[in-house]
Amino acid sequence: MSKLQNKKMIPPEVFSNLKTKSPATNSAGLKGITSALNHAQRYMNWSKALKLSFKINQKGGFDCPGCAWPDPDDERSVFGEYCENGIKAIAEEAQNKTIGHQFFSKYSVNELADWSDFELGKSGRLAEPLVLEKGTKHYKPISWNDAFEKVARHLNGLNNPDEAVFYTSGRTTNEAAFLYQLFVREFGTSNLPDCSNMCHEASGKALNETLGIGKGSVTLEDFYKAEVVMVIGQNPGTNHPRMLSALEKCKRNGGKIIAINPLPEAGLLKFTNPQNPMKMVTGGSAIADVFVPITINGDVAFIKALLLKLLEEEERLGNVFDKAFIETYTHGYDAFVSDLKTYNFNDCLRQSGVSKEVFDAVFHLISSNDKIIICWAMGLTQHENAVDNIRELVNLLLLKGSIGKEGAGTCPVRGHSNVQGDRTVGIWEAAPQAFLDRIESKYGFKPSRNHGYSVIEAIKAMYQNKVKVFFGLGGNFISAVPDTLYSGQAMRNCDLTVHVSTKLNRSHLVTGKEALILPCLGRTEKDYQKSGEQIQSVENSMGIVSSTKGILEPCSDKLMSEVAVVCGVAHATFGERTKINWLQYKDNYNLVRDDIEAVVSGFEDYNNRVNNPTGFYLPNGARVRQFKTKTGKANFTFNKLPNWKLGARELIMMTIRSHDQFNTTIYGLNDRYRGVFNERRIIFMNPEDMVERQLAEKQIVHIKSHYKGTVREAHNFKVVGYDIPKKCCATYFPETNVLVPLDSFAHTAKTPASKSIIVTVEAAL
Ligand SMILES: Nc1nc2c(c(=O)[nH]1)N[C@H]1C(S)=C(S)[C@@H](COP(=O)(O)OP(=O)(O)OC[C@H]3O[C@@H](n4cnc5c(=O)[nH]c(N)nc54)[C@H](O)[C@@H]3O)O[C@H]1N2
Ligand SMILES: Nc1nc2c(c(=O)[nH]1)N[C@H]1C(S)=C(S)[C@@H](COP(=O)(O)OP(=O)(O)OC[C@H]3O[C@@H](n4cnc5c(=O)[nH]c(N)nc54)[C@H](O)[C@@H]3O)O[C@H]1N2
Ligand code: SF4
Ligand SMILES: [Mo]
C-alpha cells in the first residue's frame, strides 16, 4: 500500500496550537452552560437553539441524540433536561449549513480526505443523495430511485447473501432498526455487525452468562436509594453528564461514591448541577468519596483483592456475605471460593497499582454495605479480558446479595442513545434461535440460522474479498474500527459501500469501487409520511422505551427517514419476490410497531404504551431475581488475572474521548476538564515516564504499538505530562485507532482491546 493511500485513511497528522492548563477540579456549572451555548450559537440560529433546548428529553419531546442515560420518570426540569454535551449533539445535527452536489463538485474525495475530522463535520448537513461512480473522484447527485436500484443490483448480483455486510450505529430508532434487520434476514444473511460489537458487547456476554440478561438491572430510583455506587472505567462528567445529577442525589440521601479510574476525571471529583440555580451560586458538590487511581487493566486484580479480603472477613465474622441470597439464587459458590483461594492478596493489590490505604477505604464501604450499584463503561469493556472484568464485578455483587433489590445491581452505562434498543429489536449477528423462530413464523421465510460477522470478522472478510457490499445505517465505520490501515484496505476492496448518514465523515471518503451517500433525517427533525407526522421510539440504558419526535423542519427536502430508506432498499431488492409489503411500513410507523410487538417479547400494546409520557419498562429478570441462565441461577465465575507484561521501554495505552467529541464526530479541539486546549494530537504521560525517556512537555513524538511481532505506527503527537499511573498513557480516539491491532480483542465478545495497547513512545527527529 502506498504511503499516500495510508494518509487518506487517517486524520491528517498536523498540529493546531496546543495550550495546556491545570486540569479542572469541577465539572458542568456555568462553564458547561457557556460552552454549550457558544457551540449552539456558532452553528444554529438562536430561535432554533432555544426551541430545541426546551424540548430535549421532555415528555412528548425528542430523545437527546447524545448518550443513552435515562430521563427522570418524574420531576423534569422546566429548563429542559439536557447537558452541555446534549446541546452539542443537537447543535451538530441541527446545523444551519447544508452540503450537496455543488460542494462535492468543488472538492474531490482525495481533497476532503486531507481535512481533519473536525473540518469534515463542520462542512454541514448532507442534503441530497450522492453517488461516487467507478474510477471517479467526485460525488455526483443521484435520484433516490436510482440509488435504491444501484444497491439492489449489487445485492442481487452477489453469489451468496453472505457477501454483503450491514452495519448499524446506535442512533437508529427501534422502528428503523427492526425493519433493517428484517430486510437483512429476508435477504438471507445474519451479517449484522453493529457499534455494540466495539462497545458493550463484553457486558452483554458477561451478564447473559452470569445473570441471564445482557442489560443492566438498576433503575434511576435505585441510584437514589443506593448506599454505595461504584463508578469504574467510566467518565460520566464528559460522556453521561446527567448521570452526575443521579450521583449527587444518591449522596444527598447518604450514599457513598467510589470512583475507579486511572485518571482523576473532573466529573468524578466535583459537579455543579446546571439544572440547579442554587448550586450554580454555591459551587457544587464533591462526587467521589474514594478515588482509586488504578493502573490500566488493573481491575480484575483490584476486585480480586477485594473479594479475598471480603472472604477473609466473612470467614472471621460471618456477617459480610448475604448467605441466604447465595444459597437461594446462585450457582457455583463453593467452586468459586476454592478458586479465589488460589490467589494471593498482596500480589493482586500490587498488580492493580492501588495503595493499601485507598484499598482499605474501598473495602470498608463494600464490607459494611449491601445496597451496592456498580456502573461501568469502556474502561472495562475494551480489553482482552473485558468479559472477566465484568464477571468479576458480578461475583462481588452476588456475594453481597446486591442484585435484584432496591438500591443495588448492575449498571453498564450504554453509549449511543439507542444502542440498547437496536439489539432488543434484532440488530444482532448472533441473534437467539427463539427470535429467529418468531421471525420465521410471522413472515414465512427462513432466516439464516448461522451467526453472521461481527465488526472484526466483517473487516477480515472484506479484506479477503469475501464481502463485496458494505451498507452502513449510520456511524463512521472506518474511523470507529481498529487497525485503520488494514480496515481501510478492507473497505476499498468492496465493490459498493453505502452510508445512510446525516453528516460527512471519513467513511464517505475511504470507499469501495463505487459508493453512495444516502442522507437521512436526524432526531431533531419532523418526519412527515403519508399517514401524517410520525413518532419513533428508543430504549435507554435502563430498559425504558419511550417515544421521540422531532420538532424542526428538515434541513433539506431531499432527505428520507431511515425507515423510508430501508423500505426503499428492500422494495427495490426484492421486487415481486417477497410476501412482505415493504412500502406500507414507511407510510405509517404504527405498522412497524405492531410487527415489533408480534416478534419481540415485552412490547405488548406497543402503539398505546409508546404514547405514555414517561415510556414503559421492558421486562428484566435480573431485576426480580429471575435468572434465565443455563443453570437457572445467577452464576459465579472464575476469572484469571491478565498476564500481559511490559518490556523495559513499553507503556500501556488507552484510547479515550475528549470533552469535545461524540465518538468520531469532533465538536471542537478542547478537552476542558483535562486542561487541554486547541489540540487533539496529544499523548498524556506520567512525568516520571517522560523523564525516563528524556521527553519534555509538548515534545513531538511518534507512537508505535507492538502486538505479536507486528509494529504499527502513529506519527506526530505532543506529550502532555499528566496525573496518570506510571507506565500508563492515554491518547484520543480515533486518531490512534491505527495502533489498535485487529486481533487484540476481548475473548468471546470480540470487543477491540482499544484500552490496552502496548506501545513505545519515541521523540520525533
Ligand atoms: N460527549 C460524549 N458522550 C458520549 C460519547 C462521546 O464520545 N462523547 N460516546 C458515547 C459512547 S458510544 C460510549 S460507549 C460512552 C463511552 O463512555 P466512557 O466509557 O466513559 O468513555 P471513554 O472516554 O472511552 O472513557 C473511558 C474511561 O475509562 C477509563 N479507563 C480506561 N481504561 C481503564 C481501565 O483499564 N480501568 C479503569 N478502571 N478505567 C479505565 C478512562 O480513564 C476513561 O475515564 O459514552 C457515550 N457518550
Ligand atoms: N480506539 C477506540 N475506538 C473506538 C472506541 C474507543 O473508545 N476507542 N469506542 C468504540 C465505541 S464505544 C463505539 S460506540 C464506536 C462508534 O462507532 P460509530 O457509531 O460507527 O461512530 P459515530 O462516530 O458515533 O458515528 C457518527 C456518524 O453517524 C452519522 N449519524 C449521526 N446521527 C445519525 C442519525 O441520526 N442517523 C444516521 N443514519 N446517521 C447518523 C453521522 O454521519 C456521523 O458522522 O466506536 C468505537 N471505536
Ligand atoms: S446525559 Fe446524555 S442523553 Fe442526557 S442530555 Fe446529556 S448527552 Fe443527552
Ligand atoms: Mo459506544
Side-chain angles (χ1 to χ4, degrees):
M1 204 189 305
S2 79
K3 233 180 159 170
L4 185 70
Q5 253 181 317
N6 289 358
K7 295 250 189 263
K8 302 288 177 191
M9 294 175 185
I10 58 177
E13 292 168 354
V14 291
F15 293 114
S16 1
N17 183 18
L18 171 63
K19 298 224 167 14
T20 52
K21 281 193 201 162
S22 329
T25 49
N26 195 353
S27 61
L30 204 54
K31 274 200 185 141
I33 292 194
T34 24
S35 154
L37 292 181
N38 279 340
H39 200 86
Q41 181 205 9
R42 214 172 318 145
Y43 303 112
M44 293 191 287
N45 64 43
W46 269 110
S47 70
K48 248 188 186 181
L50 214 63
K51 200 165 161 188
L52 285 167
S53 63
F54 281 108
K55 274 287 183 190
I56 188 170
N57 291 332
Q58 291 298 329
K59 299 168 182 174
F62 65 92
D63 179 65
C64 172
C67 74
W69 188 253
D71 306 310
D73 282 344
D74 48 13
E75 327 168 28
R76 295 199 188 169
S77 164
V78 288
F79 301 115
E81 282 291 341
Y82 56 84
C83 69
E84 175 186 352
N85 279 317
I87 293 293
K88 287 181 185 168
I90 58 174
E92 184 72 20
E93 184 177 295
Q95 278 185 14
N96 293 324
K97 232 174 23 181
T98 57
I99 51 175
H101 62 275
Q102 278 160 334
F103 175 90
F104 288 96
S105 70
K106 187 162 172 199
Y107 302 110
S108 71
V109 283
N110 280 344
E111 282 170 282
L112 290 170
D114 290 334
W115 293 19
S116 69
D117 292 327
F118 176 58
E119 290 163 323
L120 290 177
K122 287 291 160 281
S123 56
R125 277 285 298 279
L126 292 160
E128 61 180 311
L130 298 158
V131 62
L132 184 69
E133 278 167 357
K134 214 176 201 157
T136 66
K137 291 288 168 222
H138 289 263
Y139 275 99
K140 291 191 320 195
I142 183 172
S143 72
W144 276 104
N145 264 347
D146 289 351
F148 292 152
E149 287 303 329
K150 187 181 266 300
V151 179
R153 225 172 18 254
H154 275 271
L155 291 179
N156 289 330
L158 297 176
N159 294 321
N160 131 19
D162 291 332
E163 289 181 348
V165 152
F166 299 88
Y167 174 70
T168 317
S169 169
R171 209 171 264 184
T172 297
T173 58
N174 284 355
E175 289 77 1
F178 178 80
L179 288 181
Y180 184 53
Q181 62 84 36
L182 181 63
F183 158 64
V184 171
R185 297 188 196 288
E186 186 176 19
F187 180 64
T189 178
S190 310
N191 288 342
L192 283 159
D194 68 346
C195 70
S196 204
N197 294 153
M198 298 180 272
C199 190
H200 267 293
E201 194 70 61
S203 308
K205 276 277 184 301
L207 293 175
N208 257 319
E209 175 190 348
T210 54
L211 302 175
I213 180 164
K215 307 178 183 184
S217 73
V218 298
T219 66
L220 259 188
E221 276 303 308
D222 288 319
F223 273 80
Y224 310 149
K225 294 173 180 154
E227 294 163 339
V228 177
V229 177
M230 183 188 278
V231 182
I232 176 166
Q234 196 205 341
N235 179 18
T238 286
N239 297 311
H240 306 90
R242 281 190 315 138
M243 177 174 166
L244 299 184
S245 313
L247 295 178
E248 192 190 34
K249 193 158 170 188
C250 168
K251 284 180 69 89
R252 255 202 328 268
N253 296 344
K256 300 280 183 210
I257 313 292
I258 302 170
I260 305 184
N261 199 306
L263 299 178
E265 306 281 27
L268 296 170
L269 303 181
K270 202 168 183 197
F271 165 60
T272 306
N273 191 338
Q275 266 93 21
N276 181 337
M278 257 329 275
K279 275 284 161 62
M280 297 283 288
V281 182
T282 56
S285 344
I287 293 285
D289 295 276
V290 186
F291 172 66
V292 183
I294 198 157
T295 194
I296 293 174
N297 201 216
D299 304 273
V300 168
F302 183 74
I303 301 297
K304 223 178 247 311
L306 210 51
L307 296 173
L308 280 162
K309 263 286 178 279
L310 288 169
L311 179 63
E312 197 183 300
E313 196 83 338
E314 169 66 24
E315 290 183 339
R316 201 164 61 85
L317 302 172
N319 62 359
V320 179
F321 292 172
D322 183 339
K323 288 185 284 292
F325 175 85
I326 294 171
E327 179 69 26
T328 318
Y329 294 107
T330 71
H331 174 264
Y333 173 76
D334 292 337
F336 161 76
V337 168
S338 321
D339 178 70
L340 183 59
K341 284 183 169 169
T342 63
Y343 292 88
N344 172 282
F345 171 80
N346 289 325
D347 290 346
C348 290
L349 194 60
R350 196 174 320 112
Q351 190 164 337
S352 75
V354 179
S355 71
K356 180 70 170 46
E357 197 187 346
V358 171
F359 173 87
D360 286 342
V362 175
F363 175 72
H364 169 72
L365 285 179
I366 298 290
S367 64
S368 55
N369 290 294
D370 55 29
K371 287 186 177 174
I372 303 167
I373 292 178
I374 305 186
C375 310
W376 69 90
M378 299 304 100
L380 292 197
T381 64
Q382 296 177 335
H383 298 282
E384 291 191 355
N385 70 335
V387 177
D388 299 355
N389 275 337
I390 294 140
R391 292 194 310 199
E392 200 71 336
L393 294 178
V394 172
N395 283 338
L396 174 61
L397 292 173
L398 294 182
L399 291 177
K400 299 292 297 179
S402 294
I403 196 99
K405 74 173 178 199
E406 211 177 67
T410 52
C411 184
V413 186
R414 306 299 304 249
H416 266 297
S417 57
N418 196 39
V419 60
Q420 186 157 314
D422 290 348
R423 199 37 88 77
T424 303
V425 301
I427 301 291
W428 198 348
E429 81 284 357
Q433 295 300 316
F435 175 82
L436 300 175
D437 289 342
R438 288 194 296 274
I439 292 273
E440 183 168 342
S441 73
K442 164 102 183 122
Y443 299 102
F445 67 83
K446 286 197 181 307
S448 165
R449 298 281 168 164
N450 301 332
H451 285 185
Y453 298 134
S454 66
V455 163
I456 287 182
E457 292 153 346
I459 294 167
K460 287 191 177 162
M462 291 193 281
Y463 190 88
Q464 295 161 0
N465 292 305
K466 290 184 193 156
V467 162
K468 307 263 189 306
V469 177
F470 173 93
F471 191 105
L473 187 58
N476 180 3
F477 194 78
I478 192 57
S479 296
V481 300
D483 228 340
T484 319
L485 298 185
Y486 180 96
S487 302
Q489 189 55 50
M491 211 62 167
R492 291 212 166 128
N493 286 354
C494 291
D495 290 337
L496 177 71
T497 49
V498 186
H499 287 93
V500 182
S501 312
T502 51
K503 299 290 297 286
L504 182 61
N505 65 45
R506 209 160 288 282
S507 298
H508 305 126
L509 310 173
V510 181
T511 67
K513 295 178 188 70
E514 289 182 273
L516 286 167
I517 298 177
L518 306 180
C520 68
L521 294 171
R523 276 286 167 80
T524 49
E525 288 165 321
K526 294 186 179 182
D527 184 352
Y528 298 106
Q529 303 293 345
K530 260 196 194 141
S531 65
E533 215 180 310
Q534 305 295 311
I535 59 160
Q536 300 195 61
S537 47
V538 290
E539 175 185 342
N540 64 35
S541 209
M542 289 174 186
I544 304 166
V545 178
S546 60
S547 70
T548 175
K549 184 174 172 207
I551 55 165
L552 299 178
E553 289 305 321
C555 70
S556 149
D557 58 8
K558 292 195 179 129
L559 305 183
M560 275 202 187
S561 71
E562 291 182 346
V563 166
V565 173
V566 172
C567 293
V569 170
H571 177 71
T573 304
F574 299 135
E576 296 298 310
R577 68 173 203 267
T578 175
K579 286 194 215 119
I580 299 174
N581 179 352
W582 277 99
L583 294 183
Q584 67 173 357
Y585 292 119
K586 79 177 169 66
D587 296 339
N588 180 357
Y589 299 179
N590 283 345
L591 301 177
V592 190
R593 282 184 289 271
D594 285 343
D595 279 27
I596 295 177
E597 177 174 341
V599 173
V600 189
S601 50
F603 284 86
E604 295 74 21
D605 204 16
Y606 194 3
N607 269 311
N608 262 327
R609 287 198 296 162
V610 76
N611 289 313
N612 178 349
T614 52
F616 61 91
Y617 279 91
L618 289 175
N620 186 312
R623 212 169 262 166
V624 289
R625 298 188 167 176
Q626 282 170 10
F627 301 109
K628 295 179 180 154
T629 59
K630 282 193 186 133
T631 60
K633 299 217 167 178
N635 292 315
F636 281 100
T637 52
F638 306 159
N639 303 295
K640 293 195 182 72
L641 296 171
N643 63 1
W644 50 266
K645 290 227 161 36
L646 293 178
R649 305 288 297 169
E650 290 174 344
L651 301 172
I652 183 153
M653 182 178 88
M654 54 183 178
T655 55
I656 54 176
R657 290 155 172 80
S658 82
H659 193 62
D660 245 358
Q661 72 183 89
F662 191 92
N663 299 340
T664 69
T665 300
I666 310 302
Y667 299 143
L669 302 177
N670 299 337
D671 195 359
R672 195 175 78 241
Y673 292 166
R674 299 192 185 111
V676 172
F677 297 87
N678 217 16
E679 187 57 83
R680 291 182 52 82
R681 302 193 70 84
I682 58 155
I683 174 165
F684 294 105
M685 288 180 72
N686 177 294
E688 286 179 42
D689 289 329
M690 287 165 60
V691 171
E692 273 173 26
R693 287 161 187 74
Q694 297 174 315
L695 296 174
E697 184 77 10
K698 296 190 186 172
Q699 183 159 351
I700 299 173
V701 293
H702 300 324
I703 312 171
K704 289 183 179 168
S705 79
H706 306 269
Y707 186 77
K708 295 194 173 159
T710 304
V711 178
R712 293 168 173 82
E713 298 189 27
H715 291 171
N716 296 322
F717 290 80
K718 287 188 179 169
V719 175
V720 173
Y722 206 78
D723 182 4
I724 183 171
K726 237 180 140 293
K727 297 264 181 198
C728 296
C729 62
T731 51
Y732 297 129
F733 135 67
E735 282 79 354
T736 45
N737 281 35
V738 69
L739 297 173
V740 186
L742 194 68
D743 282 323
S744 175
F745 49 73
H747 70 73
T748 62
K750 303 223 166 119
T751 322
S754 44
K755 297 279 191 277
S756 41
I757 308 159
I758 294 182
V759 298
T760 47
V761 179
E762 291 159 19
L765 294 174

